[in-house]
Amino acid sequence: MKRPAAFLLSLLIVAATALFGAPAGAQENPSPEPARLRLDLGQLAPRLITSSDQAITVTGTVTNTGSRRIVKPMARLQIGERLASPRAMDSVLAGNPVQDTPLTDFAPLAEDLEPGQSAPLTITVPLTGPRGAALRPGVYPLLVNVNGTPEYGGPARLAAVSLLMPVLSTPGHANNQATQRHSKLAVLWPITDSTPHIQSAPFGVPMTLTDDSLADELGPGGRLYSLVSAARAAQENNQKIGGSLCFALDPDLLRTVDAMRGGYRVSGGATGKGADAASNWLASLRALVTGRCVIPLPFADADLTTLGKIRGADGNPDASLMTTALNGTATIRQVLGVESQSGVLWPGGTPDDKALAAISAGGFQTVLTDSAKLKAGGDDETVTGAATLSDGLRAQPTNSMATTGLTGFAPSPQTPTTFSGASQRAVSTQNGLAAIAFEAGLGRTDGSTGGPMLIAPPRRWDATTDELNAFLSGLGKLTTAGVTAGSTLTDLLSSTPEGSASLVTGTRSDGGAAVADQLSSLDQDSSGLLSAMQIDQRNRVEPKAIVGPVRDALVRGSSTAFGPSGTSSSASANATAELAAIRDQVTVEQPKQTIALASGSSPLPVYVHNDLPVGVTAQIALKNNMGIRPEKAKDLLFPAKGGQTRYVQIEALRAGHLSVDVSLTTPSGTDLGATARFELTSTEYGPITIIVTVAAGCALLLLASRRIYRRIKESRGGTP
């Protein structure tokens, strides 16, 4: 019985090995384990297929990110059916796998890959013959598929990247062209900070940045440098595409870069290195936007819904913060010398009704927003054309599918080996280009005529110069093929709104309440500081100028750069630092020696420095003062730029060594400076202590006398 059983088991093992050893079988059954390889795509050519193209070439690198050796890694390119519906496009853009067929056989990449090792990847697919003839105008999903055999495991798909390929005309068949729809196309070009970089910028003091990464972004090869240089190249090489760009500018970024030109510091005290890069970049930006379409973003790209929940000392929303956020037009004019498109704002997040009312009150008539956030008249139907919001505001939708493609998808737990388009710059740029082509009508069978489109890339678009150039060049090819037609934002805004609409709920799960609460506390502290300040006749500095950096920091704290999951501590860091920079300039000097009190009731000398250019009204507070009774705190004025000794009347309740913490607060209770520890000695008692002592002595004498009297009476035999 043992031999037949062993023989049967051997047959099963051989059969399993034969079944799972084939690469094709591994491709059909993706491994559920975490990815062991990282696939980075570098180049894809062409970006749009035309009748003159003879091959598709994909290049990149494959890296072993696991702890096991990978044997015989191999790759191939696969293609799916032409996408004909928005639902199919959305599914691919979300990272869902599609039914595809191989365009090539698996090609070996290396004999094996040890942990940490990389191998180049190059796949070339000829488009001549039947393979190219099968491609009709439309958008096709592609998959770069990498298989291999991990040590101690079986063959499996170890990495994959999906992307989309527009086909404008069949390779080798010039007569099979895409239908010319000439969809009007305008593009927003966001010039924003990746995240607020200012740590503190007190009045009259050089700005300090959290780090010097902004200098890298402004220099050659940096994110902001690439955005400007690619747009300038488009203006020079393709007037239709260059003229379709409208530059969305972050006023806070402009002010920060402008301040960098004069020198700055970074956290830790080092001198910033980006003064020259800031000057050169600002000059290039000025040349780029002069005479072009320009619109403002809210200051620091603030989330206006969160900002509207920040409450001042009176418990009401602080309207001045919203004014700061919506005053970007003035900053753009001041820094760049150009005028913005009248009455147009591109807010981040999803403004609620209060934010929309503030936008309208701020002089804006049009808000640009993702079409997926617009709903018609309370229905579930998505709005694709201009619509009217509350307060009479016009909502001009941006194309949601294009934004999704340019942003990239989040990795799916069901396909752990498929990499997100958000982590692959070449993929997100390519998918965005394909989404624009599809929305313009390329290959669609649902009767879409390809209406006007406003394209909105990610607000903090992080793409290389090559990728941005490829994107703009691709838009030019779409225009040449007649799929799209270069237009302008002004032209799109000239259409009549189709009806009324509303905005869906924002992305913050708590509506930004946690951040707003933290910033409200800081706002109330800043109000307390402002109310305690007085203009000094010698310096002539307005108190608002001193507190102004705190107000700006509060707006930065609501920036959409912090994301829906942004913590209150990260959002409030700048405002906290700005407040500290003001508070620390009005402080109590730490005594260098122990203070001997001349009597039980003596004045305590307190020396206060005020380095601010304004006078400050404050109270001297004594805490942890066991054994000491201070007088009631009084409002005291400390003049600007100087020091003063003030005396606080105290009463020592006992003799010996005493300690007390001395600090300053504004009349409204906002703390100033650091707390100083005063060490005291007292050799005399105060009046209350003496009265208590005399009273206790009298009571003791009375009790002693009574006891003596009782004893005398008892000794004489009397009754007590």
Side-chain angles (χ1 to χ4, degrees):
M1 294 294 293
K2 294 183 179 180
R3 288 185 177 181
F7 178 71
L8 179 59
L9 180 59
S10 298
L11 287 178
L12 290 174
I13 293 174
V14 171
T17 302
L19 177 63
F20 295 106
Q27 179 266 326
E28 295 296 335
N29 297 279
S31 169
E33 299 179 1
R36 299 184 183 279
L37 292 180
R38 186 180 74 243
L39 172 56
D40 297 305
L41 293 189
Q43 294 293 332
L44 172 68
R47 294 306 183 101
L48 300 96
I49 295 176
T50 64
S51 59
S52 61
D53 291 311
Q54 298 183 354
I56 301 174
T57 300
V58 179
T59 64
T61 58
V62 175
T63 304
N64 184 350
T65 57
S67 59
R68 300 181 186 178
R69 180 167 58 95
I70 305 297
V71 179
K72 294 183 179 180
M74 57 188 74
R76 72 180 179 188
L77 187 64
Q78 299 165 202
I79 189 169
E81 294 293 328
R82 185 177 65 165
L83 302 174
S85 69
R87 177 175 295 181
M89 278 287 294
D90 290 339
S91 179
V92 175
L93 290 174
N96 296 323
V98 297
Q99 294 295 325
D100 48 31
T101 57
L103 284 175
T104 63
D105 294 329
F106 277 102
L109 303 177
E111 187 63 28
D112 56 42
L113 284 177
E114 296 290 343
Q117 281 189 330
S118 299
L121 176 146
T122 300
I123 302 174
T124 299
V125 181
L127 295 178
T128 56
R131 181 181 287 124
L135 296 176
R136 294 174 293 160
V139 177
Y140 293 80
L142 298 179
L143 183 76
V144 183
N145 180 17
V146 180
N147 280 13
T149 305
E151 194 173 20
Y152 312 121
R157 174 184 291 179
L158 300 180
V161 169
S162 61
L163 64 158
L164 296 168
M165 175 61 73
V167 176
L168 298 180
S169 55
T170 302
H173 296 74
N175 59 339
N176 192 6
Q177 303 281 339
T179 302
Q180 294 190 351
R181 301 179 185 270
H182 300 290
S183 299
K184 291 183 178 181
L185 179 73
V187 181
L188 297 175
W189 202 255
I191 307 293
T192 64
D193 207 344
S194 55
T195 186
H197 279 88
I198 293 181
Q199 177 174 303
S200 64
F203 177 84
V205 178
M207 175 179 64
T208 299
L209 301 184
T210 54
D211 53 47
D212 220 4
S213 60
L214 184 54
D216 297 329
E217 292 191 34
L218 298 171
R223 185 183 69 87
L224 292 169
Y225 181 95
S226 298
L227 286 167
V228 172
S229 61
R232 291 191 69 180
Q235 289 180 353
E236 296 170 359
N237 300 330
N238 191 325
Q239 289 295 323
K240 290 183 178 180
I241 298 304
S244 70
L245 304 182
C246 188
F247 300 96
L249 306 180
D250 175 5
D252 185 40
L253 172 65
L254 297 182
R255 280 179 37 180
T256 302
V257 175
D258 191 38
M260 289 174 67
R261 297 189 304 157
Y264 64 99
R265 307 190 74 81
V266 296
S267 180
T271 301
K273 63 182 181 182
D276 290 341
S279 296
N280 295 335
W281 182 83
L282 208 57
S284 297
L285 179 63
R286 186 178 292 110
L288 173 68
V289 302
T290 299
R292 304 287 180 171
C293 174
V294 171
I295 62 170
L297 297 173
F299 185 87
D301 197 21
D303 184 325
L304 300 181
T305 298
T306 299
L307 193 65
K309 296 178 181 179
I310 299 176
R311 300 187 178 276
D314 59 358
N316 296 317
D318 191 338
S320 66
L321 297 180
M322 193 70 75
T323 300
T324 297
L326 297 176
N327 197 30
T329 299
T331 301
I332 293 172
R333 182 188 306 116
Q334 177 185 359
V335 177
L336 297 178
V338 299
E339 292 295 332
S340 304
Q341 182 93 7
S342 177
V344 181
L345 183 71
W346 184 21
T350 307
D352 61 8
D353 289 341
K354 292 182 179 179
L356 291 175
I359 291 172
S360 179
F364 295 95
Q365 295 85 44
T366 300
V367 292
L368 311 180
T369 186
D370 193 315
S371 60
K373 297 179 180 179
L374 285 172
K375 301 298 179 183
D379 298 331
D380 292 334
E381 182 181 354
T382 300
V383 177
T384 56
T388 302
L389 298 175
S390 59
D391 295 292
L393 281 172
R394 173 195 179 101
Q396 185 68 35
T398 61
N399 189 276
S400 182
M401 183 182 291
T403 300
T404 300
L406 290 167
T407 302
F409 57 86
S412 170
Q414 284 71 38
T415 55
T417 58
T418 302
F419 285 81
S420 164
S423 63
Q424 299 273 338
R425 294 176 177 176
V427 174
S428 57
T429 304
Q430 178 67 17
N431 286 354
L433 192 61
I436 293 171
F438 183 83
E439 288 286 77
L442 182 64
R444 293 183 66 158
T445 59
D446 58 358
S448 172
T449 57
M453 288 187 292
L454 179 59
I455 306 304
R459 302 172 79 83
R460 278 157 283 279
W461 203 3
D462 186 11
T464 63
T465 303
D466 289 343
E467 285 303 313
L468 294 173
N469 287 335
F471 174 74
L472 293 170
S473 176
L475 293 183
K477 291 182 179 180
L478 288 175
T479 301
T480 301
V483 176
T484 60
S487 186
T488 64
L489 177 62
T490 302
D491 189 21
L492 297 186
L493 294 179
S494 64
S495 64
T496 302
E498 298 175 357
S500 61
S502 59
L503 287 170
V504 299
T505 306
T507 54
R508 288 183 183 267
S509 59
D510 64 349
V515 170
D517 288 345
Q518 179 70 23
L519 295 177
S520 295
S521 176
L522 296 172
D523 185 25
Q524 291 159 21
D525 285 347
S526 71
S527 298
L529 286 174
L530 182 62
S531 64
M533 294 179 179
Q534 298 182 19
I535 191 169
D536 182 79
Q537 297 302 319
R538 296 168 300 168
N539 297 288
R540 309 295 294 178
V541 175
E542 289 287 343
K544 288 185 178 180
I546 306 298
V547 182
V550 182
R551 319 290 295 173
D552 293 343
L554 291 170
V555 179
R556 289 189 195 102
S558 67
S559 174
T560 61
F562 295 113
S565 59
T567 62
S568 57
S569 58
S570 61
S572 64
N574 181 201
T576 301
E578 296 287 8
L579 278 169
I582 298 174
R583 288 167 162 167
D584 291 347
Q585 295 187 68
V586 186
T587 189
V588 175
E589 183 179 276
Q590 178 75 41
K592 297 180 181 179
Q593 58 187 15
T594 301
I595 298 175
L597 300 179
S599 64
S601 180
S602 297
L604 180 67
V606 179
Y607 189 79
V608 176
H609 289 282
N610 177 17
D611 293 330
L612 294 173
V614 294
V616 176
T617 299
Q619 297 177 352
I620 299 175
L622 274 61
K623 300 177 182 178
N624 297 324
N625 53 341
M626 294 293 294
I628 295 175
R629 186 192 302 276
E631 66 176 345
K632 184 180 179 181
K634 301 177 181 178
D635 291 348
L636 305 172
L637 176 62
F638 296 98
K641 294 292 185 181
Q644 265 191 356
T645 298
R646 292 302 184 99
Y647 294 92
V648 179
Q649 195 68 33
I650 63 172
E651 177 188 348
L653 301 180
R654 62 178 177 81
H657 183 82
L658 305 170
S659 297
V660 62
D661 292 335
V662 182
S663 61
L664 297 173
T665 65
T666 66
S668 63
T670 302
D671 293 332
L672 296 171
T675 299
R677 186 72 169 175
F678 280 48
E679 302 295 338
L680 314 174
T681 59
S682 175
T683 57
E684 297 190 26
Y685 295 108
I688 294 179
T689 303
I690 295 175
I691 293 172
V692 172
T693 303
V694 170
C698 292
L700 181 61
L701 180 61
L702 182 61
L703 291 173
S705 299
R706 185 171 180 275
R707 188 174 185 80
I708 293 171
Y709 172 75
R710 288 167 59 95
R711 287 185 177 181
I712 293 174
K713 291 280 289 181
E714 289 175 357
S715 65
R716 294 178 177 178
T719 303

